[in-house]
Amino acid sequence: MSANVSHIKKIVNIDSQIGGGGDIWMRLLGFYTLAGLNPSLEIHILIPEFMKTIAKHVYGDRLIISDNKSKSQLTYTVLGFRHLIKGLISGNRYISPYQYAVIHDKKKKETKDILNKWIFKCADLFNLIQVPPLKFITYYQGFLEVIALKLFRNTSYEAFKQQMNKDADDIKLRLNYKLPISEELLIPTDLKSNVIVFPNGTGRQFVPLTWALTNLPDAYYSFFHKDESLIIFKNAGLKTILFFKPADIIELSKNAAWTITTDSFPSHLLQSYTNDCAVAITGTLQSRIVSPVFAGVVIQATAPCHPCLHLDRNTHKLCSAGFTDCINWQHADYTSAILKSVRKK
């Protein structure tokens, strides 16, 4: 009795609920790309509820967006080793694309960083916590997210990029067709002749209010409907728009003359959708945060402290360099590059 191995599916179950929206989008894109390179794979991936509708809309032809956590073989984590010990003893196995990146981006390395690097290298060796090879640590995060898995370590970055390019047009078409936008979304009638800015981020990406008032006072500023920064911008007299679902971000950009976004969650959706957009790099390495298929405008960071570690600004009042606002926004060249990027569709 013989079997055609090309029809034998290898099933991979992933718990991908940890990380910001941008991390999860790049992770989905990474797995979608690998599924294109490996048709014999059947990838089941568990993601947060708010991402499921758009993920199924865009990636559902290759990825199975799961509802069953109990099937997960591997779980993404941002935790350090000591916080994972209990889970490891219980038999859980993890993927951590972040630990090496954090150590790499730190300006001043400490003894604990050397120790952590050694611990995670050993954990990877014994398949306890899989981490991406150090040689790839400055590469696009969508690649880092998946190359951490030993199953995919033989995938070259060139092959990965080629597959991304093959898929790019289809992904853009899906983001242009029957988007699962929210019923509450309101699009101003004059948005088509105005710039829209997605100014926020959980770290220090956010556009300072004073910068917005000085440089783009007539633009629309779009916020997630639960974001408290919305009130600050609105009370200052700036035009604001709410979005409720990830697909709303695409719909708003589609209806605007030009889009500007910080290097936060909206930027990752927009990089997959359009080149009529400027992505302002603040803290993260450009090579890691910008998709290799994005052909829009990238505003390079000018701050001497770039790249910086991601610190949630709700719990850390200062960045790792000691500033309240990212100092990129204080640089004339940075501002000039953003303003020069503006085009009319």
Side-chain angles (χ1 to χ4, degrees):
M1 183 176 178
S2 62
N4 187 339
V5 294
S6 65
H7 296 300
I8 298 175
K9 289 281 186 180
K10 180 170 180 59
I11 298 175
V12 182
N13 289 295
I14 302 292
D15 183 347
S16 175
Q17 298 184 90
I18 295 298
D23 299 322
I24 292 165
W25 185 262
M26 288 187 285
R27 198 175 295 157
L28 285 165
L29 184 53
F31 278 116
Y32 187 80
T33 303
L34 285 177
L37 289 169
N38 301 277
S40 63
L41 281 177
E42 185 176 299
I43 299 173
H44 297 243
I45 185 163
L46 182 67
I47 59 175
E49 196 64 38
F50 80 97
M51 289 285 285
K52 284 183 178 179
T53 304
I54 194 168
K56 289 177 181 178
H57 180 76
V58 178
Y59 301 120
D61 62 316
R62 287 186 199 159
L63 303 181
I64 297 173
I65 309 303
S66 176
D67 293 310
N68 193 340
K69 184 173 182 177
S70 63
K71 284 187 175 182
S72 299
Q73 298 163 342
L74 293 165
T75 300
Y76 276 91
T77 183
V78 295
L79 299 176
F81 184 79
R82 66 187 180 91
H83 297 291
L84 299 175
I85 292 174
K86 184 177 179 180
L88 289 168
I89 292 172
S90 299
N92 298 332
R93 296 296 178 260
Y94 300 97
I95 312 165
S96 180
Y98 309 102
Q99 296 299 330
Y100 284 171
V102 169
I103 294 169
H104 176 276
D105 292 352
K106 288 182 75 170
K107 295 291 185 294
K108 186 178 180 181
K109 308 296 190 288
E110 303 173 47
T111 302
K112 68 175 183 179
D113 297 317
I114 299 170
L115 179 62
N116 279 334
K117 190 184 291 188
W118 181 83
I119 289 172
F120 275 91
K121 186 175 181 178
C122 290
D124 180 75
L125 182 65
F126 291 101
N127 297 320
L128 301 174
I129 308 169
Q130 297 184 46
V131 294
L134 274 168
K135 64 181 180 180
F136 296 124
I137 209 60
T138 60
Y139 285 40
Y140 177 55
Q141 189 175 321
F143 182 67
L144 284 178
E145 294 283 339
V146 296
I147 204 69
L149 280 74
K150 289 187 177 180
L151 179 62
F152 306 126
R153 297 261 176 100
N154 63 346
T155 305
S156 74
Y157 192 50
E158 285 307 311
F160 184 86
K161 288 192 295 182
Q162 286 174 14
Q163 185 64 46
M164 281 189 73
N165 275 294
K166 288 179 183 177
D167 296 335
D169 287 343
D170 284 342
I171 289 173
K172 286 179 181 179
L173 283 174
R174 290 171 195 162
L175 289 170
N176 266 292
Y177 181 70
K178 291 187 177 180
L179 267 179
I181 61 174
S182 61
E183 294 180 359
E184 304 95 326
L185 180 65
L186 296 175
I187 300 175
T189 55
D190 65 339
L191 182 58
K192 61 185 176 183
S193 58
N194 279 279
V195 173
I196 189 168
V197 181
F198 294 92
N200 227 335
T202 56
R204 308 235 90 75
Q205 302 102 319
F206 66 95
V207 177
L209 176 63
T210 52
W211 188 97
L213 288 167
T214 302
N215 296 287
L216 286 171
D218 298 321
Y220 277 96
Y221 291 83
S222 186
F223 296 87
F224 182 57
H225 69 106
K226 293 182 180 180
D227 194 326
E228 296 179 0
S229 301
L230 163 74
I231 302 301
I232 298 172
F233 275 60
K234 190 172 184 178
N235 288 345
L238 294 168
K239 296 181 290 187
T240 57
I241 308 176
L242 301 178
F243 66 85
F244 302 84
K245 296 179 179 179
D248 296 349
I249 294 168
I250 302 296
E251 190 68 18
L252 288 169
S253 177
K254 187 187 301 183
N255 284 277
W258 183 253
T259 303
I260 297 169
T261 177
T262 59
D263 49 350
S264 56
F265 174 45
S267 79
H268 302 292
L269 293 173
L270 292 164
Q271 287 176 53
S272 294
Y273 159 67
T274 183
N275 291 325
D276 291 328
C277 173
V279 177
I281 305 298
T282 56
T284 309
L285 275 178
Q286 181 175 322
S287 60
R288 201 182 290 146
I289 208 74
V290 177
S291 165
V293 302
F294 179 64
V297 179
V298 178
I299 311 300
Q300 297 182 4
T302 56
C305 45
H306 173 83
C308 71
L309 302 181
H310 181 93
L311 298 175
D312 189 306
R313 63 188 176 92
N314 291 323
T315 53
H316 297 85
K317 298 306 178 186
L318 301 176
C319 71
S320 55
F323 299 101
T324 303
D325 295 336
C326 178
I327 61 172
N328 279 299
W329 302 103
Q330 300 174 16
H331 292 189
D333 289 347
Y334 188 77
T335 295
S336 176
I338 294 173
L339 299 182
K340 285 178 180 177
S341 79
V342 177
R343 306 168 187 165
K344 298 294 182 182
K345 287 184 182 177

